[in-house]
Amino acid sequence: MEGKAKNALLLFSFAIFLSLSTTSSTPLHYQILVLNPLPSQPTISWPTSDVDPDSDSETLPASVATETESTLSIQLHHIDALSLNKTPQELFSLRLNRDASRVKALSSLAASAAAAAGGSVTGGFSSSVISGLAQGSGEYFTRIGVGTPPRYVYMVLDTGSDVVWIQCAPCKKCYSQSDPVFDPRQSRSFVGIPCGSPLCNRLDSPVCNTQKQTCMYQVSYGDGSFTLGDFSTETLTFRRSRVGRVALGCGHDNEGLFVGAAGLLGLGRGRLSFPSQTGRRFNRKFSYCLVDRSASSKPSSVVFGDSAISRTARFTPLISNPKLDTFYYVELLGISVGGTRVPGITASLFKLDRTGNGGVIIDSGTSVTRLTRPAYIALRDAFRVRATNLKRAPDFSLFDTCFDLSGKTEVKVPTVVLHFRGADVSLPASNYLIPVDSNGSFCFAFAGTMSGLSIVGNIQQQGFRVVYDLAGSRVGFAPRGCA
């Protein structure tokens, strides 16, 4: 018996040794980061094959598609291009300021929805309180023709908003924009929406202009900004495609912290967003690819229709927040650093509960990914442990894990993989270690949030074609999708 006990103890000890040696010999996964400086201010250029962006001509070329074309592709540009004479450092500082405003607005909106669901807020809840061009409302814009004949203006595209709107003459109060303000009286296709109609009733808080018996919209913001005007239908022209009868707000009174684009194209999940309105034509599918401006001169782009679906995309199911239908919620199950799952990061940290609290959203208008504080601390600590080869630098703005990489052209960094349900997304090194100044300082581009809402931002999405398949209720990520 004593001999058997000794043998069992030896076997147990050997098993523990084997387990420890196997774990410790698991190779860490690294990749090379090529060091690029902060991007300079981008210039705006539009394809010469497009309809002339500055033309107000009555007739469009014969090659312009009819309203039955089922695919639409347009270029996107970063909002930095609308800033005048800024240094790379100033542009980056402005971006972080917009980002903080954006995250505060999204978190506040989600919290308000959950509170309303819990009965602690009285009255109706408006899911479109951030659907506009308030500070931090979106990072990418395109050029769109509005009306017939089309008047071309810059419009921000935003997955965190639903309502489509533009500034309109006559202005009671309009902010400064890059193009002349759109005048609906000069358009043959502008039609006011009658009070009490199904379209009018889709607004969270419709108002009736009793004089004209037409529908009015109002969108308010947490910072006091608002836009108010006529709710109407109008024709939009994207490059060579016309899209008719799009419900949009024609804002005659637009006050507050707005930026220089003329309006906003909402790409959210709600009933009044552009993808929802054009569902029959584009099959409720769209995708975008956002380029890393520090490493590429290629333009970003957005595609609507069946061709938006990439064959190489890995898909994760969309989940619904019954209290807030605008956002794209997904399930994040965990994160790996250096080829190893971070033990402190579990799906429970990101759970969307029945009252609408928590959850993870994919957002085009947020730059830096925010994770609930416990998840962020676990991720940050795991990255620090595996990045001991890099010289630390002081904290910078919201970033608490920075490195001095001055004098280097490339470095070896641990890999980072986001594990969504059904889709493991391996991030390029430039999507999580980014330049923050002109002196060679690079920071880990994640941050913690005290809010329950986690947000996957556009820095982490760079280089992927992000596919929104509303018909299939899923979101996909296709690596190297900007080609």
Side-chain angles (χ1 to χ4, degrees), residues 380-452:
R380 176 200 68 188
D381 291 350
F383 189 83
R384 286 177 178 176
V385 165
R386 290 163 176 78
T388 50
N389 59 312
L390 304 179
K391 180 183 175 184
R392 288 292 296 275
D395 296 354
F396 183 94
S397 184
L398 77 165
F399 303 118
D400 63 6
T401 301
C402 300
F403 304 92
D404 178 3
L405 305 182
S406 56
K408 300 179 185 297
T409 56
E410 61 180 42
V411 293
K412 192 170 72 169
V413 298
T415 57
V416 175
V417 180
L418 304 180
H419 300 289
F420 297 101
R421 183 172 296 283
D424 294 335
V425 178
S426 182
L427 300 179
S430 57
N431 286 28
Y432 55 88
L433 208 56
I434 63 170
V436 296
D437 62 22
S438 305
N439 304 317
S441 297
F442 282 69
C443 294
F444 189 53
F446 288 81
T449 175
M450 299 309 289
S451 158

Side-chain angles (χ1 to χ4, degrees), residues 54-74:
D54 298 311
S55 165
D56 285 339
S57 61
E58 186 78 13
T59 57
L60 296 170
S63 56
V64 171
T66 65
E67 295 186 18
T68 58
E69 188 181 13
S70 59
T71 293
L72 176 63
S73 174
I74 50 178

Side-chain angles (χ1 to χ4, degrees), residues 99-112:
D99 205 44
S101 298
R102 171 77 172 191
V103 170
K104 185 178 179 182
L106 296 184
S107 300
S108 172
L109 181 58
S112 298

Side-chain angles (χ1 to χ4, degrees), residues 9 30 37 45 48 123 133 155 168 181 183 193 208 215 229 250 274 276 285 325 355 401-403 421 456 462:
L9 186 62
Y30 289 89
S45 61
T48 54
L133 290 179
M155 291 183 75
C168 286
V181 173
D183 188 343
I193 294 172
C208 185
C215 189
C250 195
F274 183 75
S276 295
K285 296 169 186 172
D325 61 2
T355 65
T401 301
C402 300
F403 304 92
R421 183 172 296 283
V456 178
Q462 285 177 166

